Amino acid sequence: MANVVVVGAQWGDEGKGKIVDWLSERADIIARFQGGHNAGHTLVIDGKVYKLNALPSGVVRGGKLSVIGNGVVLDPWHLVTEIAKIREQGVTINPETLMIAENTPLILPIHGELDRAREEAASKGTKIGTTGRGIGPAYEDKVGRRSVRVADLADEATLIARVDRALQHHDPLRKGLGIEAVDRDALIAQLLEIAPEILKYAAPVWKVLAEKRKSGKRILFEGAQGSLLDIDFGTYPFVTSSNVVAGQAAAGTGMGPGAIDFVLGIVKAYTTRVGEGPFPTELDDADGQRLGERGREFGTVTGRKRRCGWFDAALVRQTCAVSGVSGIALTKLDVLDGFETLKICVGYELDGKVLDYLPTAADQQARCVPVYEEIEGWNASTEGARSWADLPAAAIKYVRRIEELIDCPVAMLSTSPERDDTILVTDPFAD
């Protein structure tokens, strides 16, 4: 059976939630493989809106197993609150429908405090634009071998030892930032109190997924953020703290790369970005404002207004190559309805030379000027289209030109937030 990885191929906010939910009808298991609750997925199902942060998008579908993999950093208090909120909307969540990898690192309150303090102390031009939810510091502790992990919650002596090791690092940092020392006993008490709520979902995910795959079950791997925020391949240092590219699906769930059969890159029909960092095609004019208003471009987690710009084919071609994308799901095509002329970035001019990729060096990225190709817009509506026949000829031409420029085919086309307003070209789960 085919297993599919879904990755964002821009700076996030491409509409992954809807696509993962739509695909989950064909999957048996939906596994989240990286990121934290700084990610936001908005699902609209039969007019009902679900806002998810830590939970996999497939959780709203009955009869599926949702998995939080070890590549995720997990805030246990947020998760418990999110589960309660989603249950209030009529969704069943229990240990039969949700599983958390035992080796998943936890986000502690000290991580959020450190995250916010460092961002506030950052000098002008060095702020990352973090959500302040502690994701970065939690990943730092993972790499520094001082995390508290889900399995540690089951043994008080181990938990205390893990907390003490973490505080040996955090208390000096806090002193330097003018934050009072951590109340060790209170933190341990908080963790012991939340432990039963988390441990009931804990399992050796690597083992369960291996057995499910062997029995022929289909797995859908879900990432957060977008490839341009990848810690290695994004616009560093204005990136997230984990690997976002498709290869992380294997390491972030405990499966080998041979488990991945199809990589679906989610791509918005224009470009947006939240937070700081380079954005070559950003529009500070009426067109940019129009994209933001029509696309309702506000962050699911923070409500921050997203920066908007024209479609950047050079960047998407780059992310498709790095993630080995098999096909893209193009979203929000309807937002472009009514534009007389559209622009697509095909490369950059840098110091008199034309590049077909975004360079790695930050100073060079800042000097890149987009090279545009103009294409005719359309006046007819594409909203709600469910077949190619429903699309204006100019819209089809726009989609086909994107395919040519990014060197990757369109597998799916989304024309509204509604689940069924989707044109399927290639089923990623096809055997």
Side-chain angles (χ1 to χ4, degrees):
M1 292 290 184
N3 297 322
V4 178
V5 177
V6 174
V7 294
Q10 293 160 308
W11 275 293
D13 310 309
E14 302 96 347
K16 290 185 296 295
K18 170 195 167 169
I19 300 299
V20 170
D21 174 65
W22 195 90
L23 284 171
S24 65
E25 186 175 10
R26 294 163 170 76
D28 301 296
I29 302 154
I30 298 86
R32 172 85 181 272
F33 62 84
Q34 55 79 220
H37 64 301
N38 54 338
H41 297 318
T42 300
L43 310 181
V44 182
I45 303 171
D46 297 328
K48 198 169 186 178
V49 178
Y50 301 88
K51 292 185 180 292
L52 306 177
N53 299 133
L55 290 169
S57 296
V59 77
V60 297
R61 278 196 181 273
K64 311 289 180 180
L65 173 62
S66 288
V67 170
I68 295 175
N70 56 276
V72 172
V73 284
L74 182 68
D75 182 324
W77 297 276
H78 177 92
L79 181 67
V80 168
T81 300
E82 187 175 335
I83 288 173
K85 181 183 71 175
I86 298 302
R87 278 177 176 160
E88 288 175 1
Q89 292 186 270
V91 176
T92 299
I93 301 177
N94 55 43
E96 283 69 52
T97 63
L98 177 65
M99 185 180 296
I100 303 172
E102 295 171 321
N103 51 339
T104 300
L106 298 181
I107 301 173
L108 309 180
I110 59 176
H111 293 132
E113 292 165 4
L114 178 60
D115 201 0
R116 293 186 291 272
R118 289 198 300 206
E119 189 76 348
E120 289 170 8
S123 58
K124 185 178 180 180
T126 65
K127 293 182 184 293
I128 301 299
T130 171
T131 59
R133 294 192 168 196
I135 283 76
Y139 275 116
E140 290 175 38
D141 277 0
K142 174 181 178 177
V143 176
R145 294 165 292 188
R146 52 181 174 266
S147 284
V148 175
R149 304 198 296 180
V150 168
D152 300 329
L153 297 174
D155 181 75
E156 185 172 349
T158 301
L159 178 63
I160 291 171
R162 294 284 188 270
V163 169
D164 284 345
R165 178 172 172 81
L167 296 191
Q168 286 174 357
H169 174 79
H170 279 267
D171 276 340
L173 276 179
R174 294 167 70 92
K175 184 177 182 180
L177 288 164
I179 314 172
E180 63 183 21
V182 177
D183 186 332
R184 168 187 178 273
D185 293 342
L187 176 57
I188 292 169
Q190 283 179 282
L191 286 164
L192 290 172
E193 182 182 14
I194 199 74
E197 295 298 316
I198 301 301
L199 288 171
K200 62 186 176 184
Y201 300 107
V205 159
W206 66 269
K207 185 174 187 297
V208 173
L209 291 183
E211 292 168 350
K212 296 287 187 183
R213 184 187 177 212
K214 190 174 181 180
S215 67
K217 300 298 183 182
R218 289 175 166 176
I219 306 170
L220 183 62
F221 298 94
E222 175 189 15
Q225 288 92 32
S227 298
L228 292 169
L229 295 175
D230 184 272
I231 188 68
D232 288 315
F233 295 100
T235 48
Y236 191 91
F238 303 101
V239 293
T240 193
S241 301
S242 60
N243 285 114
V244 181
V245 294
Q248 176 62 19
T253 57
M255 301 195 77
I260 300 170
D261 300 297
F262 192 100
V263 178
L264 183 68
I266 314 301
V267 178
K268 198 176 287 185
Y270 49 102
T271 311
T272 63
R273 176 167 197 169
V274 171
E276 305 299 323
F279 185 172
T281 66
E282 183 173 11
L283 296 171
D284 293 317
D285 57 13
D287 286 336
Q289 184 173 349
R290 181 177 177 181
L291 289 171
E293 291 174 353
R294 287 183 59 97
R296 299 184 180 90
E297 296 297 351
F298 297 91
T300 301
V301 173
T302 63
R304 289 183 293 180
K305 184 179 179 180
R306 296 177 186 138
R307 301 154 63 188
C308 298
W310 296 120
F311 186 84
D312 193 328
L315 276 181
V316 174
R317 182 171 58 245
Q318 195 166 325
T319 58
C320 284
V322 170
S323 272
V325 173
S326 313
I328 67 165
L330 192 66
T331 67
K332 290 199 168 185
L333 183 67
D334 54 300
V335 174
L336 300 180
D337 292 351
F339 278 91
E340 184 176 338
T341 303
L342 300 169
K343 291 183 180 180
I344 301 176
C345 175
V346 296
Y348 314 101
E349 184 177 327
L350 175 63
D351 301 336
K353 296 181 180 179
V354 176
L355 303 178
D356 62 356
Y357 68 98
L358 189 68
T360 299
D363 65 306
Q364 293 181 356
Q365 290 178 353
R367 298 200 308 275
C368 280
V369 177
V371 176
Y372 286 117
E373 176 181 296
E374 292 193 354
I375 190 166
E376 180 186 0
W378 56 89
N379 289 319
S381 173
T382 64
E383 185 175 1
R386 298 184 181 183
S387 73
W388 287 107
D390 296 333
L391 296 176
I396 295 175
K397 184 179 179 181
Y398 181 77
V399 174
R400 294 305 186 203
R401 184 56 180 149
I402 284 176
E403 287 182 312
E404 293 173 358
L405 290 170
I406 67 173
D407 194 26
C408 189
V410 169
M412 301 173 67
L413 193 64
S414 173
T415 56
S416 95
E418 287 291 341
R419 175 189 285 167
D420 294 329
D421 291 343
T422 306
I423 300 171
L424 180 65
V425 181
T426 301
D427 185 349
F429 278 117
D431 299 331

